[in-house]
Amino acid sequence: MRLYQQLVLFMLAATVLPLAAVGFLLLSRAEAELAARIDAEQRSQASATAEAVGTSLMEVVDALARSAELFDWQTATDAETAGGLRLLYGQSPAVSAVLKLDAQGRPVGTPVFRAQALDGHPAFQADGLERLVHSVPVQPLRGGGKGQAALGTAYVHGDDGRAAVAVVVKLAEGEGAPYALAEVVFTPLETVLQRRAAGGLGRIDLVDEDRRVLASSEPARRMTVLAPELTAHLVTPTAPLPDAVRSFRVESPARRVSVARVPQGLRFDVVVEVDEATALAPVSAMRRTVLLSIGATFIVLLGIGALFTRRLNRRLADVVEGAEAYGRGELDKRVTVRGQDELSELATTFNRMGAELESARARLMRWNDDLRTRVDEATTDLKAAQAQLLEAQKLAAVGQLGAGVAHEINNPLAGILGNVQLLMLDRGASDPDLGTLQKIEQSAKRCKEITQNLLRFSQQRERAELRPVDLNAVVRDALSLTEHQTRSEGITLVTELKQGLGRVRADPGHLSQVVLALLSNARTAMLKTPVKRLTLRTGERDGRAFFEVEDTGKGISPDIRPRIFEPFFTTKDVWSNVGLGLSVVWRVVTEAQGTIDVRSEAGQGACFTVTVPKA
């Protein structure tokens, strides 16, 4: 990722994102507070409007009842009755028609109504009289006194769609008293609703128990039915509201609604409805302002970051150029130092590093010359070691060849030995050929013993297998492989094997190799000495068994004695012997948890003592 991109992400994480998070958190809180305030005002508006509507309707009903009590309806003439009806008619502009009913609720006389309605609608029609008569029952007032009033159900004018409600007033005492029936329209109430909706809290509707809009701040909604999503949240028409005011929220589109029941026992509800987007428009405007501010801030930060990183990249390019020069080996390259900031310190450190690298290269060249000299010397030593390794490989090949020869010789030897023994069975003690056959048998057994020792010497394992073995037997077996050659070289062989020595814990094959190696080295050391005597002895000391190989050879000088156990180190004049090196001898003895000591002086021979633990 480029530095400019990292800087942009840093500025976004350090400034823009926290600013946006805090801004939107504050906006969310402001929106919640505004919504709560709108709900509270809406509930207050619904409650006040319901109170005003109930008061307006009851004022009309009370005015009709008081006027009816002032007139004697039972003794009045027809002209006086018509005048009394006109008195009732004039009590309120909301009264659109008045007529008289008998005790059974049948119309009596001519109704009183305006020839032309105040709002320009047609006058009261005959079908309207029929709806008015059947809209309110008179039975509840039969037991009451004069001036008792009751409201009927709401209905709709078929000619103009206006909603109205009937009011019945009892005109005299007793069950046979007549009634006055007045039609009260809801059109004047729309003025009250419009005035209260002018505060910007949305639409206000007056609905009946069938959820029909009787009056509205928007006259076009008159006598429509509330939307299903609103009706689903309202209580049933016959049940009272659980609280004085009830608020809820609906979707599609999002709206906030408050419902208040009209008091005075009237079966009407006031519904205040406001569009949520309109109500929360200030918060939305603030959110857009915050987004624009964040965007503008981000653009400004990008511009400043671009200028800063451009200047920074130019200075870093100088450092990169210097590093590439160092990569090409141009250690005399230096970076220009500008300013007093961290990049200046980096350039100074870079130049110091270049000077140190240049000095180090000079030292390295000198060391390279010294190393070349030492490598030449080591190469010479390595070539000598390789020559010794080749001889060691030849020794391994000789061992494999000896094993093969021993296997091949054993078979005919077994046949010779068996036939000789059969021939001896057929000869008596006086037979002249018996002595010859016995010599043949002894020679065959001697050859078989030599091949068996050769097989044991060649069959070596990579890992030592320590077990109880007879030390004297191992020494004798190893000596049998080299005894003839030793005596043929004019060497006097002396063996001093302690009887009853017991067993030691060692690998017999590896231990045989140790004996043969020491014998071979001793023979080689006595090639040019006048006195040639080789002594091989075994014994016991401090609870451990040992064997010694002592010769009268040229000995070992003190200056090279510490190196005799190093790999491929030799004191032989010509490195042609097939014996094992002392480094291998030391390793085999150490694996058997033994020790090897040497006593020697130049020209006085040498004595190697190998000590191994007893079994």
Side-chain angles (χ1 to χ4, degrees), residues 102-399:
D102 59 12
Q104 285 75 33
R106 293 189 297 268
V108 177
T110 303
V112 177
F113 57 89
R114 288 191 180 91
Q116 182 71 24
L118 295 179
D119 56 359
H121 289 286
F124 190 75
Q125 302 294 328
D127 58 347
L129 177 61
E130 186 69 22
R131 285 193 302 271
L132 176 60
V133 172
H134 293 88
S135 64
V136 59
V138 296
Q139 288 80 7
L141 300 180
R142 289 181 176 175
K146 182 179 181 180
Q148 292 293 321
L151 282 176
T153 58
Y155 58 91
V156 182
H157 277 280
D159 50 355
D160 55 9
R162 289 180 301 168
V165 65
V167 179
V168 61
V169 180
K170 193 172 184 181
L171 299 179
E173 299 290 343
E175 293 186 359
Y179 302 93
L181 182 61
E183 180 185 65
V184 179
V185 295
F186 290 96
T187 303
L189 290 177
E190 293 183 348
T191 304
V192 177
L193 301 182
Q194 291 172 358
R195 185 173 61 253
R196 292 188 171 274
L201 289 179
R203 184 176 60 242
I204 303 178
D205 295 332
L206 177 65
V207 299
D208 62 359
E209 56 189 11
D210 294 328
R211 303 313 179 202
R212 294 178 301 176
V213 179
L214 304 179
S216 175
S217 60
E218 298 177 3
R221 290 179 46 82
R222 186 188 302 158
M223 292 312 298
T224 60
V225 180
L226 286 180
E229 59 270 18
L230 295 180
T231 305
H233 288 79
L234 297 178
V235 295
T236 57
T238 58
L241 285 173
D243 300 315
V245 183
R246 183 165 178 261
S247 298
F248 53 89
R249 183 177 180 274
V250 296
E251 301 289 345
S252 301
R255 287 163 293 169
R256 295 181 178 273
V257 183
S258 294
V259 181
R261 176 61 50 88
V262 176
Q264 309 295 339
L266 303 178
R267 308 292 291 185
F268 304 127
D269 294 326
V270 172
V271 180
V272 180
E273 182 179 354
V274 61
D275 183 65
E276 191 173 68
T278 303
L280 300 179
V283 177
S284 300
M286 291 176 61
R287 184 177 288 108
R288 288 192 297 270
T289 303
V290 170
L291 287 175
L292 291 176
S293 301
I294 292 174
T297 303
F298 186 64
I299 293 173
V300 172
L301 291 177
L302 287 181
I304 296 175
L307 294 177
F308 176 74
T309 52
R310 182 179 179 184
R311 178 174 176 271
L312 186 64
N313 287 336
R314 284 200 303 267
R315 300 179 64 183
L316 289 177
D318 295 339
V319 179
V320 173
E321 183 180 356
E324 292 176 349
Y326 288 173
R328 295 190 298 268
E330 302 173 4
L331 299 181
D332 56 344
K333 176 71 175 178
R334 296 295 180 265
V335 178
T336 304
V337 179
R338 293 190 296 266
Q340 298 294 329
D341 53 8
E342 288 80 0
L343 288 179
S344 302
E345 296 177 2
L346 176 62
T348 302
T349 305
F350 196 84
N351 292 335
R352 189 183 305 115
M353 181 186 66
E356 293 178 356
L357 286 176
E358 192 172 9
S359 175
R361 183 169 65 177
R363 293 194 301 270
L364 185 61
M365 295 302 295
R366 293 193 300 271
W367 292 343
N368 191 31
D369 295 337
D370 296 340
L371 182 61
R372 185 180 296 109
T373 302
R374 295 183 182 180
V375 168
D376 293 339
E377 296 175 356
T379 302
T380 303
D381 295 340
L382 183 60
K383 289 181 180 179
Q386 287 177 342
Q388 295 178 1
L389 181 61
L390 290 175
E391 295 298 333
Q393 292 175 346
K394 292 179 182 179
L395 176 63
V398 169

Side-chain angles (χ1 to χ4, degrees), residues 325-478:
Y326 288 173
R328 295 190 298 268
E330 302 173 4
L331 299 181
D332 56 344
K333 176 71 175 178
R334 296 295 180 265
V335 178
T336 304
V337 179
R338 293 190 296 266
Q340 298 294 329
D341 53 8
E342 288 80 0
L343 288 179
S344 302
E345 296 177 2
L346 176 62
T348 302
T349 305
F350 196 84
N351 292 335
R352 189 183 305 115
M353 181 186 66
E356 293 178 356
L357 286 176
E358 192 172 9
S359 175
R361 183 169 65 177
R363 293 194 301 270
L364 185 61
M365 295 302 295
R366 293 193 300 271
W367 292 343
N368 191 31
D369 295 337
D370 296 340
L371 182 61
R372 185 180 296 109
T373 302
R374 295 183 182 180
V375 168
D376 293 339
E377 296 175 356
T379 302
T380 303
D381 295 340
L382 183 60
K383 289 181 180 179
Q386 287 177 342
Q388 295 178 1
L389 181 61
L390 290 175
E391 295 298 333
Q393 292 175 346
K394 292 179 182 179
L395 176 63
V398 169
Q400 293 179 356
L401 179 61
V405 171
H407 278 295
E408 294 297 330
I409 292 177
N410 265 337
N411 293 330
L413 278 179
I416 293 172
L417 185 60
N419 290 325
V420 167
Q421 291 175 347
L422 290 175
L423 290 175
M424 291 174 61
L425 293 176
D426 296 337
R427 300 290 191 273
S430 61
D431 194 318
D433 296 331
L434 182 60
T436 304
L437 293 176
Q438 289 176 345
K439 292 180 180 180
I440 294 174
E441 181 186 17
Q442 292 175 358
S443 299
K445 289 182 177 180
R446 174 63 179 166
C447 292
K448 185 175 182 182
E449 182 180 356
I450 292 173
T451 56
Q452 288 177 348
N453 291 336
L454 185 61
L455 278 174
R456 284 195 297 271
F457 173 76
S458 62
Q459 294 176 354
Q460 300 302 325
R461 293 169 294 277
E462 293 182 358
R463 298 179 60 87
E465 183 180 345
L466 303 179
R467 64 176 183 269
V469 296
D470 187 348
L471 180 60
N472 288 337
V474 172
V475 171
R476 282 193 294 267
D477 291 343

Side-chain angles (χ1 to χ4, degrees), residues 515-594:
V515 177
L516 287 174
L518 296 178
L519 291 175
S520 176
N521 290 341
R523 289 186 6 249
T524 303
M526 293 185 295
L527 289 178
K528 298 181 180 180
T529 57
V531 179
K532 300 180 179 180
R533 185 177 69 252
L534 177 60
T535 302
L536 182 61
R537 67 175 63 90
T538 61
E540 184 177 0
R541 183 184 303 124
D542 298 331
R544 295 166 66 91
F546 70 89
F547 71 89
E548 291 181 343
V549 178
E550 185 177 2
D551 62 73
T552 58
K554 61 181 181 179
I556 305 173
S557 61
D559 58 333
I560 64 173
R561 189 178 302 168
R563 301 185 57 195
I564 62 176
F565 293 106
E566 296 179 0
F568 303 109
F569 178 80
T570 181
T571 60
K572 300 174 183 177
D573 297 331
V574 179
W575 201 87
S576 59
N577 195 15
V578 295
L580 294 176
L582 289 179
S583 63
V584 179
V585 171
W586 180 85
R587 178 179 59 81
V588 171
V589 173
T590 303
E591 288 179 351
Q593 299 180 353

